[in-house]
Amino acid sequence: MRNFSLSAQSASFLLFASCIAVPCRGQAASGAENSEAPKSAAQQAPQPAAQETPQPPAPPAARKAPSKRPPAPNDIAAPVPTRYDMLRGAYGPFRSNNDLLYYHLDIRVDPDKKFISGKNTIRFRMLKDSTRIQIDLTDKLDIDKILFGDTPLKYTRDSGAVFIDFPQTLRAGQVYSIDFFYSGHPPETGRFGAFTFKQDPAGRVWINTACEGIGASIWWPNKDQWRDEVESMDLSVAVPNGLVDVSNGKFMGKTDLGDGYTRWDWHVSYPINNYDVSLNIGDYVHWHEDLKIAKQNDLSMDYYVLPEDLEKARKQFAQAPGMIDAYTHFFGQYPFARDGYKLVEVPYSGMEHQSAVTYGNLFENGYLGRDWTGTGISLRFDFIIIHESAHEWFGNSITAADPSDMWIHEGWATYLESLYVEYRWGKADAITYLNGLKPKVYNLRPIVAERGVNADPTEDQYFKGALMLNTLRSVIDDDPKWFALIHDFYQHFKYQNILTEDVIAYFNQQTGMNLTPIFNQYLRHTGIPRLELLFGEAPGMVMYKWDAGEDGFAMPVRVGTPGHWQIIHPTTKWQWMQSPLTKDEFQVATDLYYIDVNKQ
């Protein structure tokens, strides 16, 4: 079971409910036990590495920033939930009555027939007396049998849900295990195909999984939701001899099965979200290094690419150790140290599969060679390595308990991109990078979506989420405190599943400030706050207030001129100040806050 932390408000809600053109997953463009103690160096302002220089300028065609991305469908309106969405999204009585402990996914993959078969051993602890549990598997795959020991179990299929009935009552507090056998032709669907049978450029077998959004139950039986995670997992993947499988966790060995297949065994020793579980099957070559950096025990770094790409991969993947260095500086040790860190080449742009980050960014900086933010800074680093790996801390270690709160994955991972920039090249470049995200925001829907219905949040969760975090840094206005806050926030919630309310409660408690209206304005309202400025009622007088949708919204902001800023504390009521500046001279530090300004 993943530890699950909820505020009283979020807990009561759940009881009641009983990357497209975005950078994560790359579409438009995802702590060991002895982690650092509080008050570590991660709390100090970053120290850019003076010896590290930016990449050479890209040619003009590559430097051209893409035009404003078109709004995705879920930017404009939330789709009406289907029965499938409701059954998958709700934490209903036959999910909430048990607590996941362990999976062993033992699967055979037949590339010629595009067929999979195998079983998932599911171990769980009952939380309530019951005779039924819910496991999920697409109705496009066959259930061969479900065994409770030697006893076949009856089950009912409803859309993607499988309701399994036991011949006697399972008692609260007791641990049970079932073997769920299944087979079939997995459907290729969703953003990156979910489960794809492809060929690499040389015509060899290349099979990959990437199912965040569409759901892991599209190719294997599991409790397909975010709130409950197994404590550990084993994967056994049988593939034709000569192929390699790369999956999550630590490589435990391979076994020739004597029938033309070899089984590759992997062990995940940490909690893992079901959509992070990954198969990558191909003619991979592999190299390894042991990373030694400050604040990080020796970390196994492994890389898997196609043979033809080895030379350019070695050059491009050299950015991975620096990424680990930056993120451990801010947040503490890499979260899955026992399992190691892997980069795996795939035919799509990328995904944050836990301890096996997948990569398809063409071995170029930026996103597919493009200047993702239009600032020039994007071309200094490989977007997929930096963003998808950021999810090891936010998304894989700290996980949202419901997809509605996925900004906890995406807003934070996008903000971590800017922290990487700051660590390498300084705060000014980080602020420039963040402000390059503003044209990507549409503000057509709130970021936090409806809970309990498998909702797909708006793409604004990436960019607006990161800009909100930068705004909060400016509100706190003390960088050592800010770095201490985000370091301790991560350390407090790592390996847990949380909701927005938990983030807000922690920030309020640790800062002694009431930041709830600020969080709510950016996350639960469509528009961003607008600072109204009225000049000229009397010489030297400026009137000011916030126009915001959140009741009680109040947020300090810097006004005046660069180098001579002063902080004012507007609310939604008019106040006034004396200023010698004219309307044209009077400025607002909009690079430090994500706000609108209206001067009259």
Side-chain angles (χ1 to χ4, degrees):
M1 174 189 70
R2 192 99 176 247
N3 291 331
F4 183 60
S5 172
L6 286 178
S7 62
Q9 179 181 358
S10 57
S12 63
F13 189 99
L14 280 178
L15 286 173
F16 174 77
S18 310
C19 265
I20 43 191
V22 294
C24 180
R25 338 293 185 228
Q27 270 280 7
S30 285
E33 299 295 328
N34 53 350
S35 58
E36 287 299 304
K39 308 302 181 188
S40 72
Q43 300 169 355
Q44 306 304 317
Q47 314 255 329
Q51 73 275 16
E52 300 186 46
T53 56
Q55 298 288 330
R63 293 185 63 87
K64 183 179 180 182
S67 57
K68 184 176 176 71
R69 66 178 180 91
N74 69 337
D75 281 320
I76 299 168
V80 176
T82 63
R83 179 174 181 80
Y84 167 82
D85 292 322
M86 292 180 180
L87 285 172
R88 185 173 154 214
Y91 205 71
F94 305 116
R95 282 177 164 167
S96 60
N97 66 1
N98 70 88
D99 172 22
L100 285 175
L101 299 176
Y102 171 78
Y103 290 139
H104 181 190
L105 179 59
D106 187 352
I107 185 172
R108 175 177 286 234
V109 181
D110 186 332
D112 292 335
K113 296 180 180 179
K114 298 184 178 181
F115 187 84
I116 61 175
S117 59
K119 68 173 179 177
N120 189 20
T121 298
I122 305 170
R123 189 159 66 234
F124 54 94
R125 178 181 291 108
M126 291 302 293
L127 302 177
K128 297 179 181 179
D129 289 357
S130 185
T131 59
R132 170 176 278 200
I133 64 170
Q134 177 186 343
I135 297 297
D136 303 283
L137 182 69
T138 176
D139 56 11
K140 303 297 190 296
L141 292 173
D142 296 325
I143 299 175
D144 299 325
K145 58 185 174 182
I146 303 174
L147 296 182
F148 181 45
D150 295 326
T151 303
L153 296 177
K154 296 180 179 179
Y155 57 87
T156 303
R157 305 190 78 166
D158 186 340
S159 182
V162 182
F163 296 101
I164 302 171
D165 294 308
F166 293 82
Q168 69 269 358
T169 299
L170 305 184
R171 297 299 179 184
Q174 296 298 306
V175 174
Y176 301 92
S177 180
I178 62 171
D179 293 315
F180 192 126
F181 292 80
Y182 75 110
S183 61
H185 301 274
E188 185 171 335
T189 184
R191 264 186 315 213
F192 297 141
F195 195 112
T196 63
F197 291 88
K198 295 182 181 294
Q199 292 184 335
D200 68 18
R204 299 166 301 216
V205 169
W206 206 8
I207 299 169
N208 309 92
T209 62
C211 57
E212 195 242 10
I214 196 66
S217 57
I218 203 72
W219 67 274
W220 63 285
N222 62 89
K223 193 176 182 180
D224 200 0
Q225 42 69 67
W226 290 15
R227 180 178 180 179
D228 189 13
E229 298 182 4
V230 289
E231 296 174 353
S232 62
M233 180 174 184
D234 284 296
L235 291 99
S236 299
V237 184
V239 298
N241 292 343
L243 294 175
V244 175
D245 171 66
V246 187
S247 288
N248 316 83
K250 183 178 181 179
F251 179 55
M252 304 304 291
K254 61 180 181 176
T255 303
D256 188 332
L257 300 178
D259 60 355
Y261 276 71
T262 297
R263 188 184 70 234
W264 297 73
D265 292 311
W266 302 84
H267 178 68
V268 179
S269 58
Y270 298 87
I272 186 168
N273 203 313
N274 52 68
Y275 78 77
D276 274 331
V277 176
S278 175
L279 308 185
N280 300 281
I281 301 166
D283 186 23
Y284 285 117
V285 293
H286 164 241
W287 80 96
H288 167 89
E289 63 180 326
D290 288 315
L291 180 61
K292 301 177 185 292
I293 60 173
K295 297 183 291 297
Q296 173 70 58
N297 293 340
D298 289 359
L299 177 63
S300 177
M301 306 276 287
D302 291 273
Y303 309 98
Y304 295 84
V305 299
L306 299 179
E308 298 82 0
D309 295 329
L310 179 60
E311 183 177 347
K312 55 188 174 183
R314 282 186 178 275
K315 180 179 178 181
Q316 195 72 1
F317 288 4
Q319 296 184 37
M323 171 275 300
I324 297 287
D325 186 29
Y327 293 155
T328 56
H329 172 86
F330 289 108
F331 299 105
Q333 290 193 352
Y334 174 71
F336 309 108
R338 293 191 300 274
D339 292 353
Y341 171 87
K342 296 185 287 293
L343 269 177
V344 187
E345 183 180 0
V346 293
Y348 58 92
S349 51
M351 179 69 79
E352 71 265 22
H353 298 127
Q354 183 172 307
S355 74
V357 173
T358 48
Y359 174 91
N361 201 35
L362 305 182
F363 307 102
E364 297 184 13
N365 281 356
Y367 168 65
L368 301 177
R370 294 185 303 171
D371 182 357
W372 173 242
T373 60
T375 63
I377 297 168
S378 306
L379 292 169
R380 297 179 189 174
F381 62 90
D382 190 306
F383 175 86
I384 292 298
I385 293 174
I386 303 311
H387 179 91
E388 302 300 343
S389 300
H391 281 304
E392 295 282 64
W393 283 263
F394 290 90
N396 299 345
S397 179
I398 293 180
T399 304
D402 188 280
S404 61
D405 295 83
M406 196 163 63
W407 76 272
I408 296 170
H409 302 195
E410 304 303 353
W412 275 96
T414 304
Y415 182 68
L416 263 63
E417 297 166 28
S418 75
L419 292 182
Y420 175 80
V421 171
E422 183 161 351
Y423 188 70
R424 288 285 308 274
W425 298 291
K427 184 176 181 178
D429 279 0
I431 296 299
T432 299
Y433 183 86
L434 283 162
N435 278 274
L437 301 175
K438 288 180 177 177
K440 302 179 185 301
V441 182
Y442 276 90
N443 290 319
L444 298 175
R445 285 179 53 209
I447 288 178
V448 175
E450 182 181 0
R451 290 194 181 141
V453 294
N454 192 39
D456 187 13
T458 171
E459 311 306 336
D460 284 356
Q461 64 180 310
Y462 297 80
F463 318 115
K464 189 175 180 179
L467 289 162
M468 178 192 72
L469 291 170
N470 185 54
T471 299
L472 287 169
R473 176 179 179 176
S474 301
V475 168
I476 291 172
D477 195 31
D478 185 322
D479 278 353
K481 285 186 178 180
W482 173 251
F483 289 120
L485 175 64
I486 62 174
H487 171 274
D488 294 350
F489 166 70
Y490 169 75
Q491 290 293 329
H492 182 77
F493 286 114
K494 67 181 179 181
Y495 311 130
Q496 296 185 46
N497 305 65
I498 64 174
L499 296 177
T500 296
E501 290 85 348
D502 302 295
V503 182
I504 298 172
Y506 185 87
F507 272 59
N508 286 346
Q509 179 185 46
Q510 296 301 309
T511 62
M513 304 168 68
N514 179 19
L515 300 172
T516 302
I518 298 176
F519 275 103
N520 284 348
Q521 179 63 45
Y522 286 97
L523 297 175
R524 303 185 187 280
H525 293 269
T526 300
I528 61 175
R530 185 173 70 241
L531 183 63
E532 301 283 1
L533 298 171
L534 182 60
F535 296 81
E537 287 204 358
M541 176 184 287
V542 181
M543 299 186 69
Y544 59 88
K545 77 176 185 74
W546 286 116
D547 182 2
E550 177 70 13
D551 290 342
F553 183 82
M555 186 172 80
V557 65
R558 299 182 195 185
V559 299
T561 57
H564 299 88
W565 295 120
Q566 68 179 102
I567 297 177
I568 59 174
H569 296 267
T571 67
T572 54
K573 305 296 183 183
W574 283 108
Q575 301 176 63
W576 65 276
M577 62 181 290
Q578 292 286 346
S579 175
L581 302 173
T582 66
K583 182 171 110 173
D584 291 337
E585 294 170 335
F586 193 95
Q587 299 180 49
V588 181
T590 52
D591 58 336
L592 302 179
Y593 309 85
Y594 184 43
I595 58 174
D596 285 331
V597 177
N598 180 33
K599 292 184 184 181
Q600 296 289 339

